[in-house]
Amino acid sequence: MGKTIRVLLTGGSGFLGQHLLSTWMKNGPGLSSSSNNQGGGEEVDFVIFALYQRSTAFPKALSDKPCHKNIKITPYRCDITSQADVDKLFETNTFHICLHTAAMSQQKECLENPTGAKALNVPTFLFEKLKDMVPLVALSTDQVYDGTKDVLANGFYKEDETSIRAMTVYGKSKVEMESYLKENLAPSTKVPTVLLRSTIIVGPTPPFVDAHSTFLHFVQSRENQNTSFFTNEFRTLVGVSHVCRVLDWMVLNLNESKKQMTGLQVFHLGGPVRSSRFEMAQTVFDRFHFDKSVLEKAERSPPFPLDLSLDSTKLEELTGIVHEPKTMEGLVNETFPKKLVLVTGGSGLAGSAIKEYIERTGAKDDEEWVFLSTKDGDLRQRSDTVAIFEKYSPTHVIHLAAKIGGLFAAMSQKVEFFRENVLINDNVMECCRIYKVEKLVSYLSTCIYPAKVTYPIDETMLHSGPPHHTNETYAYAKRLLDTMNRAYAEEYGCNFTSVIPTNIFGHHDNFSIEGGHVIPGLIHKCYIAKRDGTPFTIWGSGTPLRQFIYNKDLAELTVWAMREYHDPTCLTLSGDEQDEVSIKDAALTVAKAMKFEGEIKFDTSKNDGQYKKTASNKRFRALRPEYQFTPFEKAIHETVDWFVENFESARK
């Protein structure tokens, strides 16, 4: 049986609080060491009370995510400026350590509400409850200094500086906090009180709910906008991952005073690089290849502090934790990690084409691509889907995975086509919401449109009537994707959309005669007929009309939609209406590409399915009027050649 540490965390829904909770939930205690084993092999559990006040979405966002077995988090609504709320918190709860990260730190807020800033930044009711009871780790700021020191001549600010003179409202409130703790908690020799004077903390957007963005995110938002940045205001930015490791160390070590600390201890919490605001902006613009000509130089004048560079050697020597990364470029990359594009159904017809397209054209500098197959997990199972999202933490998802098949498969497995697709889609979409995926693009199909409709069909008609009876369950399952895209956008602000390709064919297709789609089925049948010297038999009369799209074209357009199309309204991806092809002409084109010279027959005893599904690509053409689709005969020829060359390994 291991030990349990009960942690009180203020500011749980803030920028730092969310990152700390998320990191613990994923990795468990011991971020500052190689394992959850703190000397003697004893396993540690954290029971964390995460205080929040205004964010009503915070508890659900926490509960949606899986949590490490050694972490238990209770979101607790509490106004730490209210004596009644604080009294209620301590009535039935005891703690081993308190991490005080809550603060009003935005300069504009502090100026507009100095009384509120002081109340939150100097929470005396909370401090009095902790007095002589448990260790306190309180976040302070580098703004307690006036920033007038010549750090290049005299060294960065150290903890033993005697000239504490804040110039900002936020800094002044933190000076008051430090003075209060020194006068009221520090005299105690029973438990330590630790002040961490932190510089600006930077890192990715918070993992659960919206919070104040960092200065680097503000810089990113200034693309193509003339903006002045100070060349004479310097800071030693610190990465949020480093701060999390330091706080984890404090929890593991201070609750039993392993380091024999007593009274008030002050440490600087900064990074290794001194940079001006202008240099920070330049590095962000370099990261995104923005035009730096819009960056304008300016100089800041006192009384605002100019150089608050911190020397954090003392904290590093105590904890043994070295700040990584060590460059401004590294901090920017931590703040803006590469986009990770996760492609479900990545080994299928469309997924393989997208992979080949990315390999052929190269991914963008800020993109990393992962292509899933069934070997990576069963997307019908929520647990498998969660494990995939936990493993890869995607920022973008292209959702291709589905239970699919041709006309006769859809008619004979109606229940499976509905249930399995609904399960897959629900698991993927909900995980995209929970893991704050920036963009989701899913595939629909023109076969899900109403059976009775005027032609050409367009995106506005998707729900205007029942689909054709031959594939109604597949169609209804797919239609729900469009419905849920809008629902997630309206309720959660998610950037989810769908594209509607017409009949796809190409390399890596499923060439099954019984269960495949029309083009791959025709290719396989024609191959066998040529090989065996038998007639090439086409099911049905050959009269139905279809619009086809080559998977190479679809791959290019899907990547474009992921990067550029941000409307929840589904978008049809197809060739122009005049390019519609009859099944008979498609079969003859296949026979020509296969160099088949035998008899061609039509088995009219087989169901033709829907006669036509002509789709309008008007909305697509408004966005991409210049796009040239691969000619049908060329695409068929390339697909036939691929199938013949890969006959033994092709899916069939």
Side-chain angles (χ1 to χ4, degrees), residues 540-546 581-584 608-612:
S541 66
T543 57
L545 301 172
R546 295 292 182 266
V581 179
S582 72
I583 301 300
K584 177 180 178 180
D608 270 342
Q610 202 167 337
Y611 171 65
K612 67 183 297 180

Side-chain angles (χ1 to χ4, degrees), residues 509-650:
D509 208 337
N510 178 4
F511 293 84
S512 168
I513 293 174
E514 297 289 338
H517 286 103
V518 56
I519 293 292
L522 289 172
I523 291 173
H524 192 179
K525 280 197 226 177
C526 190
Y527 177 89
I528 292 173
K530 180 180 178 181
R531 182 194 65 190
D532 297 347
T534 56
F536 175 23
T537 303
I538 294 91
W539 290 345
S541 66
T543 57
L545 301 172
R546 295 292 182 266
Q547 287 164 295
F548 296 100
I549 185 168
Y550 192 22
N551 66 346
K552 285 187 176 181
D553 295 339
L554 180 59
E556 180 180 351
L557 294 176
T558 302
V559 174
W560 164 79
M562 187 275 292
R563 292 170 177 164
E564 306 294 339
Y565 182 70
H566 303 298
D567 188 330
T569 304
C570 52
L571 181 69
T572 299
L573 299 180
S574 76
D576 301 318
E577 294 168 37
Q578 63 267 26
D579 296 328
E580 202 167 32
V581 179
S582 72
I583 301 300
K584 177 180 178 180
D585 287 341
L588 294 176
T589 306
V590 167
K592 180 180 177 182
M594 191 73 72
K595 297 181 175 60
F596 177 78
E597 298 178 354
E599 181 184 3
I600 299 176
K601 298 169 59 177
F602 292 87
D603 182 356
T604 56
S605 68
K606 299 291 187 181
N607 196 319
D608 270 342
Q610 202 167 337
Y611 171 65
K612 67 183 297 180
K613 306 174 185 179
T614 313
S616 168
N617 67 358
K618 185 177 180 180
R619 288 185 65 241
F620 166 72
R621 278 302 186 197
L623 298 169
R624 295 291 303 272
E626 82 296 342
Y627 188 79
Q628 296 292 319
F629 289 90
T630 304
F632 182 67
E633 286 194 12
K634 182 176 187 293
I636 288 292
H637 198 287
E638 290 181 2
T639 305
V640 166
D641 287 349
W642 184 91
F643 177 72
V644 172
E645 185 178 340
N646 296 275
F647 178 77
E648 296 300 327
S649 59

